[in-house]
Each structure stands twice: as C-alpha cells, then as structure tokens.
C-alpha cells in the first residue's frame, strides 16, 4: 500500500450497535489517503485512550481473552469501555498461516 507506515496490520471493529453487530476492517496505517486505490476503504480514527491486552496463544482461542476483558478486567478496574473502534494489532511475529505468534487487543476506555 502506498505511503504505508510500518509493517503492522490491524483488524478494526467499529460502528457497533446494541445488538452486538459491528463493521470490521482489515488494514494498515498510512501517512495519508491520497494514493489509496478507490477499491479500498479508508477509515480515520480519532485519538483515543486504550487498554492493551496481549493474546500470546493461537488466534482460535481469542475468545478466552475477550471473556477475561469483559468478565474480569472491566468489572475489577476503574475504567469503562468507550464508544470507539477497537483494534487487533498484528506485528511481524504473527503468522497468519499457522495462527501463532500472538497479537494485541486494543480496547477503547474512558
């Protein structure tokens, strides 16, 4: 992707509703949208505060991390979830073929 920043890839959940539906976008960070091909979507994400959770295990077990966040971490923290996009952050250590290598979940907080 032209003007891509770094090698990190992202899964971004946004536009969530009260029934649990959301839009999901796979992407990379870019310096600007000027050279993004028209067949690709773009999404500007405003600055936000995030809690970052490491998921070191196979990608198929990510629900365990999500369950921990919502059933243990939030109820025992002083934070509340913010109405903003969340991220899955995949560094070069993640192998999309094997599903191993770990990744981070970035959860918006207030």
């Amino acid at each position: 992707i032209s003007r891509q920043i770094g090698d990190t890839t992202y899964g971004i959940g946004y536009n969530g509703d009260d029934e649990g539906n959301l839009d999901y976008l796979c992407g990379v960070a870019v310096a600007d949208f000027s050279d993004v091909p028209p067949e690709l979507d773009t999404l500007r994400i405003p600055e936000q505060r995030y809690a970052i959770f490491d998921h070191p295990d196979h990608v198929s077990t990510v629900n365990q991390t999500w369950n921990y966040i919502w059933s243990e971490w939030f109820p025992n923290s002083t934070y509340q979830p913010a109405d903003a996009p969340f991220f899955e952050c995949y560094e070069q250590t993640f192998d999309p073929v094997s599903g191993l290598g770990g990744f981070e979940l970035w959860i918006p907080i207030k």
Side-chain angles (χ1 to χ4, degrees), residues 19-94:
E19 285 79 44
N21 301 302
L22 57 85
D23 292 322
Y24 185 85
L25 183 69
C26 298
V28 297
V30 295
D32 63 58
F33 296 148
S34 62
D35 293 335
V36 174
E39 64 271 14
L40 299 181
D41 290 328
T42 59
L43 179 66
R44 286 190 196 281
I45 300 174
E47 188 174 318
Q48 173 67 46
R49 188 172 186 192
Y50 287 88
I52 302 171
F53 300 89
D54 187 44
H55 181 77
D57 301 321
H58 190 270
V59 68
S60 67
T61 64
V62 70
N63 280 343
Q64 293 172 0
T65 302
W66 281 113
N67 288 339
Y68 166 76
I69 293 166
W70 292 103
S71 65
E72 295 183 41
W73 189 81
F74 268 121
N76 293 303
S77 77
T78 59
Y79 299 102
Q80 298 295 317
D83 186 12
F86 72 83
F87 296 85
E88 300 162 342
C89 181
Y90 299 91
E91 301 287 346
Q92 287 186 331
T93 57
F94 181 75

